[in-house]
Amino acid sequence: MSSHSPHGQSPLRTVQVLGGGNAGSSAHVRSLAAGLVARGVRVTVCAPVEADHTYDFRGAGAEHVHVPRSSDPASVAALRAACTDVDLVHAHGLHASFRAVLALSGRRTPLVVTWHNRAYAEGARAHLLRLLERRVAKAAAVVLGTTSDLVDRARRTGARDARLAAVALSGPRPAAEDPDRPRPKMRAELGAIGRPLLIAVGSLERHRGYDVLLDAARAWRRRDPAPLLVIAGEGSLRAELQRRIEDEGLPVRLIGRRDDVGELLAAADLALLPGGEESRSVLAQEALHARVPLVAALAGAVRELVGDAAELVPHGDAQALSEAVVRLLDDPERCERLRESGTRQAATWPSEDDTVAQVLSVYDELTQPLPMI
């Protein structure tokens, strides 16, 4: 592939624009930057300074330019300056993409957009998001969607060219079935000695389905011993969920945002994904990689991601979720079959090399000069 110097001239100069939003897209940009730099591409990451502190884009060989998350004129001006004299701009997520559209106004710099997840809003904000989606889809030379649903959405919204993105799960993971992993210590820390440990991970927001999860926990609290459900994440529902846990005596702990999700999963008996139409759920991918049986609500693109390697239940059905958990806790053979099918399913997902190769091929298409007739 003619990636880094398609014209046999200077290296390709690219800007990656990140809103500093979810961990999945931030880790993806870090991985992508490292892969592009290794192939001779010059990369500047425009993201909030906090994102650089967490993901160390400079450590991947990229330059970092601080661009705040807002779309105010100062942020757009900073991004516009960073995009001067580059060959291509690649924005990740809806809000970062909209800032890139504003910053590139009047320029002919090609814009690639990756939609990692569908954006959420209610009421008047939902209408605004649809307008942003349309503006971004029409302005982008190529829209990459992480699931076929997002690709279809981009096409319906006016994208000229929408394709399925190869997106790898980035970052280190604990080795599956590692005999030295600190499982007993983690279980003791969480209070799950002598009882099953269930893990859910994600922001404490309405669309994640935690109300359904607490309803399910109410049903299995009568078991002896009662499984302990640990939820890692932070968000606007924290106080409301904590109040329910205390009022109803639920065997549930909220442990806040954690940076050791791999270790939490390694200690767990089951991973739970109660809702949230995430396009490529990081928890689902981590669970299958770590050989932890997964119970997931049928929402978003979960079936496309996990195939038959998880116990899937109807979205919003607390009874079905509770019954699936109890069934798996009582059926070690079924759990082992899910571990095996999870390993096979994870092997079909794109690698980080696959991701970089696809992105480079798109960059080449958009930056190579047209052949002389």
Side-chain angles (χ1 to χ4, degrees):
M1 184 179 292
S2 54
S3 55
H4 46 285
S5 293
H7 322 151
Q9 297 169 1
S10 58
L12 195 65
R13 296 156 303 169
T14 69
V15 169
Q16 306 288 324
V17 187
L18 187 63
N22 74 56
S25 56
S26 301
H28 170 69
V29 168
R30 208 285 182 187
S31 164
L32 187 58
L36 291 171
V37 168
R39 289 159 178 80
V41 178
R42 286 179 55 186
V43 178
T44 299
V45 177
C46 292
V49 69
E50 311 85 63
D52 184 50
H53 289 157
T54 304
Y55 293 94
D56 189 21
F57 302 118
R58 289 191 183 94
E63 292 180 50
H64 171 253
V65 173
H66 170 60
V67 175
R69 292 186 65 172
S70 70
S71 292
D72 64 26
S75 293
V76 173
L79 183 55
R80 187 173 175 84
C83 293
T84 301
D85 296 329
V86 302
D87 298 299
L88 181 139
V89 175
H90 188 167
H92 300 263
L94 181 59
H95 295 286
S97 302
F98 180 63
R99 274 197 292 286
V101 169
L102 296 178
L104 294 176
S105 177
R107 293 182 180 171
R108 299 183 65 178
T109 312
L111 174 64
V112 177
V113 165
T114 298
W115 284 358
H116 293 266
N117 286 299
R118 183 177 166 185
Y120 292 94
E122 296 172 4
R125 249 184 81 70
H127 177 65
L128 175 62
L129 281 182
R130 284 194 296 274
L131 292 176
L132 294 187
E133 280 185 335
R134 186 168 297 279
R135 177 86 182 269
V136 166
K138 289 185 169 182
V142 175
V143 177
L144 297 171
T146 58
T147 67
S148 51
D149 280 356
L150 285 172
V151 174
D152 291 343
R153 186 178 182 85
R155 287 182 182 136
R156 287 196 307 272
T157 310
R160 290 169 277 167
D161 184 342
R163 311 178 194 181
L164 190 61
V167 176
L169 179 62
S170 306
R173 292 182 293 278
E177 301 298 296
D178 178 357
D180 297 324
R181 66 191 185 181
R183 182 181 167 98
K185 183 180 174 193
M186 178 64 78
R187 291 178 73 101
E189 178 199 320
L190 296 172
I193 297 295
R195 63 196 296 199
L197 176 62
L198 318 176
I199 296 285
V201 180
S203 58
L204 306 183
E205 302 299 340
R206 191 73 59 194
H207 68 273
R208 295 280 187 179
Y210 289 126
D211 53 340
V212 175
L213 194 50
L214 294 194
D215 290 345
R218 194 166 56 219
W220 68 57
R221 70 182 169 180
R222 292 188 292 271
R223 285 177 63 89
D224 184 21
L228 174 65
L229 169 61
V230 171
I231 301 174
E234 204 51 83
S236 63
L237 294 186
R238 171 93 189 213
E240 179 183 320
L241 295 174
Q242 188 62 49
R243 197 158 46 244
R244 269 199 69 184
I245 291 165
E246 292 168 8
D247 290 349
E248 299 172 33
L250 301 178
V252 179
R253 280 191 64 194
L254 304 179
I255 60 171
R257 189 178 287 110
R258 299 280 288 234
D259 57 9
D260 59 348
V261 169
E263 284 73 21
L264 289 172
L265 272 173
D269 296 291
L270 300 178
L272 308 183
L273 188 65
E277 297 187 4
E278 287 180 275
S279 297
R280 287 184 71 86
S281 163
V282 173
L283 175 69
Q285 294 175 80
E286 293 271 17
L288 268 59
H289 272 296
R291 291 174 57 84
V292 178
L294 173 70
V295 180
L298 264 172
V302 70
R303 189 187 289 282
E304 183 179 337
L305 181 64
V306 303
D308 63 357
E311 197 80 28
L312 301 178
V313 299
H315 186 244
D317 189 333
Q319 183 177 345
L321 179 60
S322 174
E323 289 172 354
V325 166
V326 169
R327 199 163 53 242
L328 282 178
L329 291 177
D330 288 340
D331 190 349
E333 290 182 7
R334 168 70 177 152
C335 287
E336 187 55 34
R337 287 197 299 274
L338 284 176
R339 290 188 190 98
E340 295 300 327
S341 54
T343 299
R344 289 194 298 273
Q345 182 70 12
T348 70
W349 294 335
S351 68
E352 293 187 67
D353 274 349
D354 295 334
T355 302
V356 176
Q358 185 202 28
V359 165
L360 272 175
S361 71
V362 172
Y363 291 2
D364 275 357
E365 280 178 49
L366 297 176
T367 57
Q368 292 211 26
L370 293 171
M372 301 291 285
I373 304 290

